[in-house]
Amino acid sequence: MASSVLRWVRVVVASLFVAGAPIAVAEYVLGHHALAEARVETRAMAERYLERAEAAIGEGLTLLRDLKNANSVTCTMVDRQAFGSSAFQSTYIQQIGLADPKGTLLCGEPMGSLEQPIRLPAAERGDPSVMVGVLSDGRDDRQTFVLVRVDEARRLVARINRSALEFVTGPDYLSAAQQVAVYLDDGSTWMRRSGTWKPEQEPDSIEETAISTRYPLRVSVTVSALAARQTVAPLRSIILIGSAFLGLMVFGWGAVLVARGANGGDVFTRAVANQEFVPFYQPVFDMFTGEIKGCEVLVRWQRPDGSMVPPGQFLPYAEATGLIRDITTQLMHQTVEDCSALYSRHRGLKLSINLTAMHFVDLRIVDEIREIYETSGIGYEQLCFEVTEQHPLKDLTLSRTIIQRIQALGAQVALDDVGTGHGGLAYLQKLGVDIIKIDKMFIDNISTDHSSQSIVETLVELGNQLGLGIIAEGVERVDQVEHLKGIGVSTAQGYLFAKPLPAAAYLELAHAMLGDGDAGGGADDEAIADDLFAAVDAPDQTDPKAAA
Ligand code: C2E
Ligand code: CA
Ligand code: CA
């Protein structure tokens, strides 16, 4: 229970990891990429604004120097006309005029006065005769001026057009989330512009600064990192969906593994490793004499909790995985442990072991049989190996060889479930078995159903002609016993006589029936044997549960 919860936890963790890892990596890589991209854009924007600001100042200075050189440095009509036409022809200059050292405009063209004197501490680098300054009304109305010193009393002044820096640059995704500011070195602000977005809204906004090498000028552009990240949103969605899909796949796969583990899978493999498979023994009898002839070994899975799983529930899995080979090996070892004493004492007793198609793909089974039984108390001539007809044998020639090798040891081979499976009579002919086991299916209706009757009779006749032994399986009723005896079948197993028994119960029964006085308790044993054959008249006395 706890381990299954643990397995589910592992599946969930693995799925989350598989889905989460690409998301985290994508988040990191895409985020980084988007931010780096935005940083480059922002830097380019800052440089564009700086270029424009420098161009405006540069144009102002050029015009003023030209006027100074042309000696247009008075407020006379002619000079004012020169101011006006210079300003008119310029790109960024709105007005040109003359100011006194305090900054008061003496005249200006086109006409216009200043509300305040122009105080301009800022100067062009390396030339104190050239100044740049901002005149602010304390609110948002700012004017930027360029000045050139004429003499002690006069300065030429160019007022830069407000619209000089009113342009939009940069990618669309940043247009609504940017702030542009142009500063002079004295701390004054030439221009500051932002939309609804403010850098204060985001702790990790992107800021790039461009500094002029020609003028006391600095541009700062700040953009939203969130807006930058937004550019990779579609890609992120794709990765998100892909990762979720991947995670789901891993989850599904894990769920299948866990489910398999729950009813087979690694639980089953562990059960094989833990040797949880035990042999039960179903006695085989001579119906004429009532003698016990031996038994068939039938596997049971004894779970650690004590429950007993019948073979129908795990054999298909054991066969599909090939684990049946290990299980059969374990069973054979266990039969040596359980039965050696009894079988060495009663050399006439037989022990039948079921093999599957998996055992007929190579010669390993022959070596195993030899290794396990050679030095055991069970002789080869006491062993019989059953080959079922129900699953086709891949390589009939190899199967025939394996059967011959088993027979060469002295053991017998029986064809199980004859008439119900694939092989039919061809198997009988090609495999060279010693015994045929007539399936319960035909025995069930032997006294009532005509076709069952003829099949059994045909099989018996065939067996006799080929010199094969015959065992009837699944005998449950007295009428079946009578019928089988009537057609000369003497050997049978079935619930009427005994169900598959745990080792101790089988040994006790066999000792009793064989009159092993010292192995059990003399008179008691005989009584058990008598009771057993009284069972032919009063069935179901040998319930393995009762026996166990
Ligand atoms: P099977 O080899 O034909 O074995 C006979 C089955 O019939 C056994 O079922 C047995 O308990 C049952 N049986 C015997 N007499 C009666 C009866 O009178 N009435 C009824 N209703 N059933 C009877 P079990 O033990 O459940 O085994 C089922 C099948 O599983 C076996 O059929 C055999 O094919 C396979 N099997 C069992 N043990 C092993 C094993 O160790 N190795 C392999 N390869 N297969 C095994
Ligand atoms: Ca069998
Ligand atoms: Ca059978």
Side-chain angles (χ1 to χ4, degrees):
M1 182 61 193
S3 77
S4 125
V5 169
L6 200 73
R7 251 177 267 134
W8 278 108
V9 168
R10 267 192 233 136
V11 168
V12 170
V13 168
S15 314
L16 287 179
F17 178 78
V18 166
I23 293 175
V25 170
E27 195 61 29
Y28 182 80
V29 172
L30 291 178
H32 258 245
H33 172 77
L35 291 182
E37 195 86 332
R39 204 166 276 286
V40 170
E41 296 281 8
T42 307
R43 166 120 214 117
M45 286 161 71
E47 266 154 17
R48 290 264 350 252
Y49 282 106
L50 185 69
E51 255 168 48
R52 177 64 67 84
E54 284 179 339
I57 293 172
E59 184 178 49
L61 286 177
T62 306
L63 293 179
L64 297 185
R65 277 179 181 140
D66 287 351
L67 288 167
K68 185 182 170 187
N69 291 341
N71 213 21
S72 300
V73 291
T74 66
C75 278
T76 61
M77 186 73 165
V78 179
D79 284 355
R80 275 164 48 202
Q81 265 175 1
F83 295 165
S85 88
S86 282
F88 183 72
Q89 285 164 33
S90 77
T91 312
Y92 304 115
I93 303 304
Q94 184 188 341
Q95 186 187 39
I96 292 176
L98 211 58
D100 68 13
K102 286 183 178 159
T104 311
L105 196 68
L106 304 172
C107 61
E109 289 297 332
M111 281 295 283
S113 64
L114 291 170
E115 288 154 10
Q116 299 159 288
I118 313 165
R119 302 212 180 279
L120 304 166
E124 186 175 26
R125 291 181 208 286
D127 185 355
S129 67
V130 175
M131 287 159 267
V132 182
V134 173
L135 196 65
S136 170
D137 67 352
R139 280 168 286 142
D140 263 354
D141 194 31
R142 300 185 184 90
Q143 286 280 289
T144 304
F145 296 87
V146 180
L147 293 93
V148 168
R149 190 171 180 271
V150 180
D151 55 30
E152 288 299 309
R154 285 170 302 172
R155 283 160 191 184
L156 279 166
V157 181
R159 184 202 298 243
I160 295 175
N161 203 319
R162 285 170 207 274
S163 65
L165 295 182
E166 278 172 14
F167 65 97
V168 175
T169 180
D172 285 349
Y173 69 89
L174 294 177
S175 63
Q178 56 170 267
Q179 186 185 69
V180 183
V182 182
Y183 302 104
L184 297 182
D185 277 3
D186 65 356
S188 53
T189 304
W190 175 347
M191 180 271 256
R192 195 210 305 269
R193 193 187 62 221
S194 62
T196 47
W197 181 82
K198 299 274 181 296
E200 304 81 69
Q201 294 169 0
E202 264 183 53
D204 61 342
S205 55
I206 300 167
E207 184 183 3
E208 286 291 320
T209 306
I211 297 169
S212 173
T213 51
R214 290 159 60 194
Y215 307 115
L217 196 62
R218 181 166 59 88
V219 174
S220 153
V221 178
T222 312
V223 302
S224 159
L226 233 67
R229 286 211 179 88
Q230 211 46 37
T231 57
V232 289
L235 207 60
R236 192 186 286 142
S237 309
I238 291 171
I239 289 170
L240 204 80
I241 292 167
S243 302
F245 182 71
L246 217 70
L248 267 178
M249 276 195 4
V250 168
F251 182 79
W253 183 54
V256 166
L257 286 185
V258 169
R260 247 204 242 157
N263 54 31
D266 51 8
V267 170
F268 192 76
T269 309
R270 240 180 291 136
V272 175
N274 292 344
Q275 315 215 338
E276 290 174 15
F277 297 88
V278 296
F280 267 45
Y281 300 90
Q282 184 175 36
V284 176
F285 295 99
D286 183 319
M287 292 185 287
F288 287 104
T289 63
E291 277 176 314
I292 185 164
K293 308 271 283 184
C295 67
E296 176 178 4
V297 177
L298 295 160
V299 67
R300 299 291 180 265
W301 178 6
Q302 187 161 30
R303 305 288 310 264
D305 63 8
S307 63
M308 206 63 90
V309 185
Q313 286 182 26
F314 60 83
L315 275 183
Y317 187 80
E319 279 167 24
T321 52
L323 287 167
I324 185 64
R325 296 180 73 137
D326 292 342
I327 294 173
T328 305
T329 309
Q330 287 174 23
L331 287 183
M332 291 196 292
H333 278 291
Q334 193 59 45
T335 60
V336 170
E337 209 166 292
D338 291 342
C339 302
S340 276
L342 175 71
Y343 277 60
S344 57
R345 186 166 180 162
H346 299 283
R347 285 289 163 186
L349 281 179
K350 304 276 189 199
L351 185 89
S352 219
I353 289 156
N354 289 286
L355 299 181
T356 67
M358 290 288 302
H359 289 104
F360 291 90
V361 295
D362 55 44
L363 292 165
R364 227 165 68 191
I365 183 67
V366 182
D367 296 331
E368 271 184 15
I369 292 170
R370 199 184 302 119
E371 278 159 26
I372 295 170
Y373 291 106
E374 185 140 71
T375 55
S376 80
I378 306 170
Y380 289 129
E381 72 292 345
Q382 293 178 284
L383 291 170
C384 177
F385 292 90
E386 299 188 9
V387 189
T388 179
E389 220 193 78
Q390 305 227 312
H391 306 290
L393 298 169
K394 268 204 197 108
D395 182 342
L396 275 189
T397 314
L398 178 61
S399 302
R400 170 85 189 112
T401 307
I402 292 166
I403 288 170
Q404 278 174 336
R405 299 266 176 105
I406 292 174
Q407 289 166 330
L409 293 174
Q412 286 185 308
V413 175
L415 190 60
D416 202 359
D417 312 315
V418 173
T420 66
H422 297 79
L425 299 181
Y427 267 31
L428 266 187
Q429 192 187 17
K430 288 187 185 146
L431 293 180
V433 299
D434 308 288
I435 293 167
I436 54 177
K437 295 191 80 170
I438 303 176
D439 196 74
K440 177 173 180 300
M441 185 171 116
F442 304 117
I443 305 296
D444 276 345
N445 303 317
I446 195 169
S447 357
T448 50
D449 172 47
H450 189 71
S451 70
S452 291
Q453 248 164 48
S454 6
I455 289 170
V456 173
E457 276 163 28
T458 309
L459 286 175
V460 169
E461 219 169 288
L462 190 71
N464 289 335
Q465 275 173 23
L466 296 174
L468 305 177
I470 296 167
I471 300 175
E473 276 190 328
V475 177
E476 291 181 338
R477 299 186 313 272
V478 178
D479 63 271
Q480 295 168 326
V481 174
E482 296 310 325
H483 197 104
L484 286 165
K485 278 159 86 173
I487 55 172
V489 177
S490 61
T491 314
Q493 61 191 87
Y495 288 1
L496 177 62
F497 314 115
K499 284 191 173 180
L501 305 172
Y506 171 61
L507 295 180
E508 192 186 341
L509 175 71
H511 280 303
M513 294 193 68
L514 294 164
D516 288 341
D518 51 346
D524 278 358
D525 293 342
E526 311 244 315
I528 291 173
D530 285 349
D531 278 357
L532 192 84
F533 259 74
V536 173
D537 304 312
D540 239 7
Q541 295 285 299
T542 51
D543 188 324
K545 289 187 197 101

